Amino acid sequence: MKKPNRQPRPKRYTLLDELAASPTEPLPEAWRVGQLTKMYEALHQLEQGDQPTPNDWRLCSDAVNLVETLVVDMKVCQDDSGLLMDAITALAMAGRRNKEGKTLRLDGAGIVAVRAILQDYSDLIEVLPARVMVRCHRLTEKRLHEILDGKKRPHDVEIVDL
């Protein structure tokens, strides 16, 4: 069967970016602070903002997806608490509620789980080498493209047109 002809999805990072990244130093501080600021602002909106947006949801999902890649695919850390799956579930529930016409909001348990994963992500990007983090971003982006192409893992959730 012939595969449908579709345009390749753009990639944020390339193999060259990964190889050029420092094998010993973390990502530049300005990059880390900028990304974390956006993610924490998005979490605040999902917790108590007047009108949380789909982009707020996506930014929090990015943090959770990146940690999942570090834990599951790269095995550079562990999720002994089980909060990773709780955070995935919480974001999926918030997305489903939004598709039903309700406010895009995390519940109490979801706030705890997503906040904990975001804190873990913050701690990790402070110490992991830039090369590891660029690889993490590349692998996460690849997995998200696979989900959009229908190649899902049992726990993967795809909320489109959020």
Side-chain angles (χ1 to χ4, degrees):
M1 176 181 224
K2 188 175 178 181
K3 292 185 180 182
N5 187 13
R6 69 165 179 81
Q7 295 291 350
R9 290 187 176 87
K11 295 180 178 165
R12 171 66 178 94
Y13 294 102
T14 65
L15 180 58
L16 185 58
D17 293 320
E18 182 179 336
L19 295 173
S22 172
T24 57
E25 298 298 316
L27 289 163
E29 183 178 8
W31 189 96
R32 296 187 317 257
V33 169
Q35 184 188 44
L36 289 171
T37 298
K38 290 175 189 172
M39 288 176 168
Y40 274 110
E41 287 172 353
L43 178 59
H44 175 74
Q45 289 301 312
L46 291 178
E47 291 173 341
Q48 53 188 306
D50 290 335
Q51 292 195 329
T53 67
N55 196 53
D56 295 323
W57 183 89
R58 283 185 192 96
L59 284 164
C60 289
S61 293
D62 285 346
V64 172
N65 288 331
L66 290 163
V67 171
E68 181 182 13
T69 298
L70 290 167
V71 171
V72 175
D73 299 322
M74 298 176 70
K75 299 184 184 351
V76 298
C77 55
Q78 296 177 326
D79 176 35
D80 295 330
S81 65
L83 283 174
L84 182 57
M85 201 61 205
D86 293 346
I88 292 168
T89 301
L91 286 164
M93 288 172 41
R96 284 190 188 110
R97 279 193 298 272
N98 184 252
K99 287 187 78 112
E100 294 169 358
K102 300 175 184 168
T103 303
L104 185 56
R105 184 89 57 214
L106 292 169
D107 61 16
I111 289 171
V112 170
V114 174
R115 184 166 285 281
I117 295 301
L118 188 49
Q119 181 60 55
D120 289 344
Y121 180 69
S122 175
D123 294 343
L124 288 165
I125 67 169
E126 294 292 323
V127 297
L128 290 174
R131 187 172 293 170
V132 170
M133 290 311 304
V134 172
R135 178 157 182 74
C136 174
H137 280 262
R138 289 184 66 235
L139 291 172
T140 302
E141 182 177 59
K142 180 180 180 232
R143 190 170 70 78
L144 293 174
H145 289 176
E146 288 171 351
I147 290 170
L148 292 172
D149 290 340
K151 300 174 189 172
K152 296 181 184 179
R153 296 177 186 171
H155 69 278
D156 285 336
V157 178
E158 177 186 358
I159 307 283
V160 293
D161 298 328
L162 192 67

